Amino acid sequence: MTQGHPPAGWPPPGNADPRYAAAPPPAQPGPWGPPPAAPKSRRGLWIGLAAGALALALCAGTAVGVGLGLRGDDEEGPAPKAAAGANGVTVTNAELTALLDRHSKALAAKDLDGYLAAFDPARKELIAGQTQLFRNLGKLPLSVARYETIERQGRAGDAFGQGVTFQLDVSFVHQLDGFDLAPVTEWYRWTIVRTGKDAPIRVTAVTGAPAAGNGGSKTVHYPGPWDKWREIHVERTPHALLIADAARAGVAKRYAPAADVAVTNGLAVWRASGPPGPVPSGFVITLADGKDEMTSLYRIGTEKATEAGFSLGLVAAERKDGKDTIGGTRIVVDTSDRYFTRTGGDNDARMVLRHEVAHSLMTPRTDLTAVDAFSKLDEWVVEGFAEYIAFHGRPLGASERTAQARQVVRGGWNGTLPGNGEWDDPDRLSFHYWLGHAAMNHLAEKHGEVKLFRFVEAVYGGTPTDRAARDVLGVSLDEFQAGWAAYVRAQAR
């Protein structure tokens, strides 16, 4: 499974866990078979996560999505002044701000006519799409929902009365009540048209807006399920908000209990032993049908998804103490994947959900300013922790990876923690996940779960792993590795 974070890469493709990737070839006996093709190394991703938030802020001008201002022609500059003559056509910043303000108020008031007033009524497909969006948003528990300007692309004034057409990047600032720690953003690109001096301002097209250095996605958290599906179904439990295509409402109802248990268990484990800090009371889980939907939800990926689920962190719309932070997470799972469709077995849908909940638990504790530190964020810590939470309270042998891993250890293993570069090896990828899982189990048994969680939090916070080992565990990383290697070999006997 995976864990994604904000830009550089904004939004990134997430960290796919191959355990929940495509099924092995049918000819292979048992649940294993050859491991699926490895996703790209997440070392580069982690570098991008931190750098991307900063790049996004610079791209936008100031804080992400809020108070960004317009960066097209200055409305006090020579072009708008010339356009303001007898025959000139111009669109001022004040007019655009007022347009978005009316749009926000219409959404809050559940006023469909007011919401559609910004759009060209002659564009029937556009009107239908925005009507669909309005109705879908009305099904969400939005405690914050407003539209803000990001930047303008193109000239907003013409001195010869020819009319103007330009693009306006708009941030949908929103917060799902009970699930997001702070308002987050989704970026749209509106095409703005004014055909004459006295003509109204109309939006003639809407799509997703990109961010600078957007890496693994062409857009910023677009399309959300509310954009993608004609009608969404929202299934709410005490600790989970499930979103699905309305045509698959039955699937959402089916998995709602498992999702709630996964979140409840994850939260209980963390609250019992985890350090103080922001912890959501629940998580948002979107149910995709196939890899194509997974690739597009909250992102338009440059590579097709192969995993059964991912967790994506969203940058908060406003900085906290001058720093970018994570405002919320979105979990997406593919309910057509074998871990949701097969019967029996230990690694079923609950394991997928628990793994992604573990990623989502840690994401808000990410230090987005620790750019250099993120290049050192070790995969074995990130994925090992997610596996530890997924199997919490169960022995290492409960993982279906264990049997194959024991064979690898017995066949001659070097006894070292897998470096990030080694995760590109498809023949050892599943083994590396198991090694990370074993590392977390060993850490908990030797140092206690409180120190385990403090160690993982320190790594997410940008502390190099070797220093985190010394500071939290009181041993060098070499000492930890030696004890862990002995533990791993004992598991293979």
Side-chain angles (χ1 to χ4, degrees):
M1 286 206 138
T2 60
Q3 169 177 348
H5 290 252
W10 213 66
N15 305 347
D17 181 343
R19 183 192 69 197
Y20 309 123
Q28 296 297 324
W32 278 91
K40 289 187 175 180
S41 169
R42 285 175 286 278
R43 178 178 176 83
L45 171 63
W46 287 111
I47 298 173
L49 301 182
L54 303 180
L56 178 63
L58 293 174
C59 161
T62 166
V64 178
V66 176
L68 303 182
L70 297 166
R71 297 199 305 157
D73 294 332
D74 183 349
E75 67 179 76
E76 300 302 323
K81 285 181 178 179
N87 298 316
V89 179
T90 188
V91 177
T92 67
N93 292 353
E95 288 179 301
L96 293 173
T97 299
L99 177 73
L100 293 179
D101 184 56
R102 291 193 298 272
H103 198 59
S104 300
K105 290 178 178 177
L107 178 61
K110 301 185 184 301
D111 174 9
L112 176 59
D113 290 339
Y115 190 82
L116 296 177
F119 304 100
D120 184 351
R123 311 267 178 159
K124 302 303 182 185
E125 187 174 342
L126 174 63
I127 293 297
Q130 293 303 308
T131 300
Q132 158 197 312
L133 175 59
F134 175 86
R135 289 173 176 161
N136 281 340
L137 292 177
K139 297 181 179 182
L140 299 173
L142 292 166
S143 58
V144 173
R146 66 178 184 270
Y147 294 86
E148 303 274 355
T149 57
I150 300 172
E151 64 177 343
R152 188 176 68 228
Q153 308 281 346
R155 296 172 64 87
D158 181 86
F160 304 101
Q162 299 294 315
V164 293
T165 300
F166 58 92
Q167 293 177 319
L168 180 69
D169 287 353
V170 174
S171 173
F172 175 45
V173 179
H174 59 285
Q175 183 171 8
L176 296 177
D177 188 32
F179 300 95
D180 293 331
L181 295 171
V184 297
T185 70
E186 177 186 8
W187 287 17
Y188 293 98
R189 176 162 286 179
W190 288 5
T191 299
I192 304 288
V193 173
R194 172 170 270 173
T195 58
K197 182 177 181 182
D198 298 322
I201 301 169
R202 294 296 193 194
V203 180
T204 61
V206 177
T207 186
N214 60 351
S217 176
K218 298 176 184 178
T219 59
V220 177
H221 303 320
Y222 171 92
W226 39 85
D227 305 293
K228 186 171 184 64
W229 292 319
R230 181 180 183 86
E231 182 182 357
I232 62 171
H233 174 79
V234 177
E235 191 75 21
R236 185 165 186 172
T237 74
H239 299 96
L241 184 75
L242 286 80
I243 306 175
D245 187 333
R248 303 178 70 240
V251 177
K253 293 179 184 296
R254 174 185 173 188
Y255 288 113
D260 194 72
V261 169
V263 176
T264 302
N265 289 351
L267 289 172
V269 171
W270 181 262
R271 287 169 175 159
S273 302
V279 178
S281 58
F283 296 102
V284 180
I285 302 171
T286 301
L287 308 181
D289 185 15
K291 306 308 179 192
D292 287 340
E293 283 195 347
M294 283 194 68
T295 301
S296 65
L297 281 164
Y298 302 109
R299 55 184 182 166
I300 297 181
T302 56
E303 295 183 7
K304 186 174 179 178
T306 58
E307 64 269 39
F310 67 82
S311 171
L312 182 70
L314 281 64
V315 173
E318 297 177 332
R319 289 187 177 126
K320 182 178 181 180
D321 300 326
K323 296 172 60 177
D324 291 307
T325 60
I326 298 295
T329 65
R330 301 290 182 263
I331 293 171
V332 180
V333 296
D334 173 15
T335 57
S336 69
D337 189 272
R338 67 178 179 130
Y339 288 97
F340 287 84
T341 60
R342 71 180 185 175
T343 58
D346 291 327
N347 288 326
D348 57 7
R350 289 171 296 174
M351 296 300 103
V352 178
L353 292 165
R354 288 172 183 171
H355 184 106
E356 298 311 324
V357 164
H359 283 315
S360 293
L361 275 169
M362 295 310 302
T363 300
R365 295 164 182 269
T366 305
D367 185 351
L368 297 177
T369 65
V371 178
D372 293 337
F374 273 95
S375 67
K376 304 182 183 72
L377 189 58
D378 285 320
E379 298 269 12
W380 66 266
V381 177
V382 173
E383 297 300 346
F385 174 77
E387 292 287 86
Y388 177 83
I389 295 297
F391 289 91
H392 191 267
R394 301 166 67 192
L396 190 61
S399 170
E400 66 178 19
R401 299 181 187 277
T402 300
Q404 188 184 59
R406 285 171 174 164
Q407 293 178 9
V408 176
V409 173
R410 292 167 188 161
W413 167 61
N414 62 13
T416 61
L417 292 161
N420 285 355
E422 298 177 65
W423 289 70
D424 286 332
D425 183 353
D427 295 328
R428 289 292 181 101
L429 192 57
S430 181
F431 179 52
H432 293 158
Y433 272 79
W434 185 85
L435 291 177
H437 186 179
M440 296 298 120
N441 277 25
H442 170 63
L443 200 162
E445 290 178 16
K446 185 173 180 60
H447 300 279
E449 198 164 73
V450 170
K451 285 194 174 181
L452 162 63
F453 290 173
R454 284 178 53 203
F455 170 77
V456 174
E457 182 184 54
V459 173
Y460 267 81
T463 303
T465 307
D466 55 350
R467 196 175 82 204
R470 291 194 302 270
D471 292 349
V472 178
L473 308 179
V475 298
S476 69
L477 189 59
D478 287 342
E479 290 174 306
F480 171 78
Q481 181 174 252
W484 160 79
Y487 173 83
V488 167
R489 291 191 168 100
Q491 298 299 310
R493 291 175 189 156

